[in-house]
Amino acid sequence: MTRTTRITTLDLDTDRLATDLARAERFGYNDSYGEFICGSWRSCMLWNRTGDVDDRFLEDYAGPARSTEYGAALPYLTELMERHFLLEHLKFARIARLTPGSVLVPHRDYLELDADLTRIHLPLRTDELCSSSEDETIYRMRRGELWFLDATRAHSAASRSDRDRVHLILDFSTATPAEALRPGLPVSTGIPEDSLVARRPLRPGEYKHFEALADVIDETNYQDVLALVIKRYFEAELKAADVFRWLEGITRASGRPELVAQAARHEEHCLVSR
Ligand code: YCP
Ligand code: CO
């Protein structure tokens, strides 16, 4: 069973959202967490421990989050957050932009923290060519939908869109999403049928064709080969962990021990410990 849940759909004010998004276009975005990205996923902090936009990473801390200059420059998003959430439990709020053609390496969040957080997404600009995943489940988060993501499980995202996918991402200290939400919103659980993305079964010998990339892979295109495998995971029935199985198989077949070690370290960092 996936734990990811579409909580509810918000009725967004298109004009006010457009005003905030236009402002957010001019923010400075950072490339932190590049080891989880093939392509580009850039983010900026709206709320964090210090209120300083240069504190770009998730970290453990006590007490409530503070708004940064970017958070303060977005009145509509601030209002939405105040209306729907108990912000005393908020730890981080970010805007994240996934650029066309980019994919995330399957990973688990919060491994570097003492305590897990509760992750909420609100897509602000997206389309049908953007997908997300939890383990073997591929789904679409549509604009205006509030989603709880179990970011402690292996998850990923991919964009084949021709423009940036823009999401508001919130992290709360509560054990469950319900404890972070103000009472009153209709709350559902699970992923609705029409949000699921079907994949085809693997073709016989499909892995073997990828293994032939052993003749191509080197330190200059390691991330590109990984991107090919991740893109296949979004099309055909691989598990999130299979992405690394395939990558490791390709690196072993290449006969280059440094690439084998790189893939093993990368898997450890993304899925096991850091
Ligand atoms: C995060 N997950 O939420 C990570 C890093 C990709 C998505 C980048 O911080
Ligand atoms: Co993540």
Side-chain angles (χ1 to χ4, degrees), residues 74-89:
L74 304 174
Y76 181 56
L77 290 188
T78 304
E79 191 181 303
L80 281 178
M81 288 165 57
E82 283 168 348
R83 191 184 312 153
H84 297 297
F85 294 97
L86 298 166
L87 293 187
E88 61 266 36
H89 301 304

Side-chain angles (χ1 to χ4, degrees), residues 36 41 58 94 104-110 119 121 149-156 169 274:
F36 299 120
W41 181 94
L58 303 188
R94 295 175 288 180
L104 301 188
V105 182
H107 67 280
R108 300 168 59 210
D109 290 317
Y110 315 133
R119 170 72 47 87
H121 274 240
L149 261 72
D150 188 347
T152 69
R153 300 210 176 163
H155 63 284
S156 179
I169 301 182
R274 50 182 180 263

Side-chain angles (χ1 to χ4, degrees), residues 179-240:
E179 294 165 87
L181 283 165
R182 284 193 185 280
L185 272 183
V187 170
S188 348
T189 52
I191 303 180
E193 199 67 37
D194 76 339
S195 301
L196 292 171
V197 178
R199 298 181 300 171
R200 62 167 172 79
L202 278 175
R203 293 189 281 256
E206 193 157 354
Y207 166 69
K208 274 288 165 194
H209 294 301
F210 272 77
E211 201 183 84
L213 288 164
D215 296 332
V216 174
I217 195 169
D218 64 18
E219 59 285 352
T220 72
N221 61 27
Y222 168 91
Q223 204 78 358
D224 302 307
V225 170
L226 176 54
L228 290 177
V229 179
I230 297 167
K231 287 175 183 181
R232 187 54 50 97
Y233 156 75
F234 277 92
E235 300 301 315
E237 291 169 348
L238 284 108
K239 301 183 169 93

Side-chain angles (χ1 to χ4, degrees), residues 5-271:
T5 286
R6 188 181 73 179
I7 300 170
T8 196
T9 303
L10 302 180
D11 191 11
L12 296 181
D13 181 327
T14 305
D15 291 343
R16 295 188 66 201
L17 178 61
T19 304
D20 275 16
L21 282 177
R23 284 195 174 176
E25 293 283 338
R26 297 194 290 273
F27 292 172
Y29 291 81
N30 65 74
D31 287 313
S32 36
Y33 301 108
E35 67 276 25
F36 299 120
I37 293 123
C38 300
S40 154
W41 181 94
R42 314 194 77 213
S43 65
C44 68
M45 281 287 181
L46 307 183
W47 294 63
N48 62 9
R49 178 174 66 85
T50 58
D52 183 341
V53 294
D54 292 326
D55 286 324
R56 300 148 29 160
F57 293 98
L58 303 188
E59 57 182 344
D60 293 294
Y61 71 93
R66 295 202 211 165
S67 171
T68 67
E69 59 179 291
Y70 291 157
L74 304 174
Y76 181 56
L77 290 188
T78 304
E79 191 181 303
L80 281 178
M81 288 165 57
E82 283 168 348
R83 191 184 312 153
H84 297 297
F85 294 97
L86 298 166
L87 293 187
E88 61 266 36
H89 301 304
L90 180 70
K91 291 293 173 184
F92 303 95
R94 295 175 288 180
I95 289 182
R97 312 179 73 99
L98 184 67
T99 64
S102 299
V103 293
L104 301 188
V105 182
H107 67 280
R108 300 168 59 210
D109 290 317
Y110 315 133
L111 292 175
E112 68 278 29
L113 304 184
D114 293 337
D116 289 337
L117 301 172
T118 288
R119 170 72 47 87
I120 304 284
H121 274 240
L122 175 62
L124 303 174
R125 185 198 292 152
T126 188
D127 62 33
E128 297 294 302
L129 295 173
C130 296
S131 322
S132 298
S133 76
E134 177 190 318
D135 288 328
E136 291 170 74
T137 304
I138 315 291
Y139 61 95
R140 287 192 192 97
M141 294 186 260
R142 296 188 172 91
R143 178 183 172 280
E145 296 176 343
L146 266 190
W147 285 78
F148 160 63
L149 261 72
D150 188 347
T152 69
R153 300 210 176 163
H155 63 284
S156 179
S159 169
R160 292 165 48 220
S161 178
D162 56 7
R163 49 186 210 153
D164 285 3
R165 185 194 86 160
V166 183
H167 280 201
L168 176 68
I169 301 182
L170 308 175
D171 287 294
F172 292 92
S173 56
T174 57
T176 62
E179 294 165 87
L181 283 165
R182 284 193 185 280
L185 272 183
V187 170
S188 348
T189 52
I191 303 180
E193 199 67 37
D194 76 339
S195 301
L196 292 171
V197 178
R199 298 181 300 171
R200 62 167 172 79
L202 278 175
R203 293 189 281 256
E206 193 157 354
Y207 166 69
K208 274 288 165 194
H209 294 301
F210 272 77
E211 201 183 84
L213 288 164
D215 296 332
V216 174
I217 195 169
D218 64 18
E219 59 285 352
T220 72
N221 61 27
Y222 168 91
Q223 204 78 358
D224 302 307
V225 170
L226 176 54
L228 290 177
V229 179
I230 297 167
K231 287 175 183 181
R232 187 54 50 97
Y233 156 75
F234 277 92
E235 300 301 315
E237 291 169 348
L238 284 108
K239 301 183 169 93
D242 291 339
V243 167
F244 282 104
R245 297 286 77 71
W246 285 31
L247 180 68
E248 282 152 14
I250 295 163
T251 57
R252 263 196 312 277
S254 76
R256 291 167 172 252
E258 71 284 4
L259 292 178
V260 179
Q262 182 175 350
R265 273 199 311 272
H266 203 175
E267 177 175 20
E268 170 86 13
H269 182 83
C270 289
L271 291 173

